[in-house]
Amino acid sequence: MLRVRPRAALVLAGTSLVGVAAFTWPFVLRTTEAGQQAVAPWLFVVVLGLLAAVAAAELASGGLDAKTVALLGVLASVGGALRVLGAGTAGLEPMFFLLVVAGRALGPGAGFLLGTLAMLVGAFLTGGIGPWAPFQMLAAGWVTMGAGLLPRASGRAERWLLAGYGLVAGLGYGAVMNLYFWPFLTTGPEGGGYDPTASAAQNLAHYAAFYVVTSLAWDLVRGVLTAVLCLVAGRAVLATLRRGLRRAAFDAPVVTT
């Protein structure tokens, strides 16, 4: 697991705060769908800028080098390809298995970069670039970062830990992603619509009703698939990634003569 340097951790925390604000600001400020559509392109630029800032902070502090960047590029490409295979059909998205296992192996900093880059690559490959893209990148980055923040475990316990996290992450990703468009829906299940005059607690209750009716079954498939893949193939993939990290000696100090 690659360590997160303090400077990179600060930039990463700032990026996550911007992401939380991007998902939740309609609950605080009244807006319209047109307003959200106008904000999305700027959010995309901000997200890319913050990703560059996280990468620059890691590079400046020695957390990333050419080998790490190459590994992230390869894994992001594989993640994007897995997204093409699944394409979200019936919630079957094997890409999330890679995000969880790779995030566990890489750690939260490099893992966050991997999640966002893999989602960006997948969006380009599937033609899925739109207002939703920056939100998907942030949510995928959190999934991968979360795997890197899980407590220590080994053997069978670690596989079950990753399987449990994969189930929660599969559900959580969908629950978070719905927030970017839910306040602007004009139709929906009864009692599940956004009310700009209601309190935050009331709107959260409305959103819970909306999520259970429209998205829970879909996201449950994603979570269960991720959990099953972690149990079946997690050990082999995790061992391969860790062996590659050890042989590359990413954290070895650079000695010049």
Side-chain angles (χ1 to χ4, degrees):
M1 181 180 294
L2 305 179
R3 291 174 295 174
V4 182
R5 271 62 176 180
R7 184 185 303 175
L10 286 175
V11 178
L12 195 56
T15 303
S16 293
L17 286 177
V18 170
V20 171
F23 277 104
T24 59
W25 69 275
F27 291 92
V28 181
L29 303 174
R30 291 189 181 184
T31 184
T32 62
E33 183 177 4
Q36 178 77 327
Q37 297 293 333
V39 166
W42 291 105
L43 179 61
F44 191 79
V45 173
V46 170
V47 169
L48 291 180
L50 290 172
L51 289 179
V54 173
E58 286 280 10
L59 287 168
S61 58
L64 289 179
D65 57 15
K67 292 179 290 186
T68 319
V69 173
L71 178 63
L72 287 177
V74 171
L75 291 175
S77 300
V78 174
L82 288 175
R83 192 181 182 203
V84 174
L85 291 177
T89 305
L92 297 172
E93 297 182 83
M95 171 189 187
F96 281 81
F97 161 66
L98 178 67
L99 296 185
V100 170
V101 177
R104 176 69 172 176
L106 292 173
F112 181 82
L113 289 174
L114 171 62
T116 54
L117 291 175
M119 192 58 73
L120 181 62
V121 172
F124 277 117
L125 292 177
T126 60
I129 294 293
W132 54 85
F135 297 96
Q136 289 180 328
M137 291 169 62
L138 286 168
W142 288 334
V143 168
T144 324
M145 181 174 69
L149 292 172
L150 291 174
R152 291 179 179 273
S154 60
R156 181 177 299 179
E158 184 174 37
R159 292 201 301 277
W160 280 102
L161 178 65
L162 292 179
Y165 176 76
L167 176 60
V168 173
L171 292 167
Y173 175 82
V176 170
M177 274 304 301
N178 284 352
L179 288 174
Y180 102 87
F181 66 84
W182 174 69
F184 312 107
L185 290 178
T186 56
T187 61
E190 185 176 356
Y194 174 73
D195 182 357
T197 63
S199 65
Q202 289 172 320
N203 272 322
L204 284 175
H206 294 175
Y207 178 70
F210 169 83
Y211 178 75
V212 169
V213 173
T214 63
S215 305
L216 178 59
W218 183 284
D219 294 339
L220 189 60
V221 174
R222 179 196 299 120
V224 170
L225 176 65
T226 305
V228 170
L229 289 176
C230 286
L231 291 174
V232 174
R235 179 181 179 183
V237 176
L238 199 55
T240 301
L241 289 172
R242 285 173 170 163
R243 185 163 55 249
L245 290 171
R246 285 195 299 270
R247 290 185 175 179
F250 289 106
D251 283 334
V254 177
V255 178
T256 57
T257 57

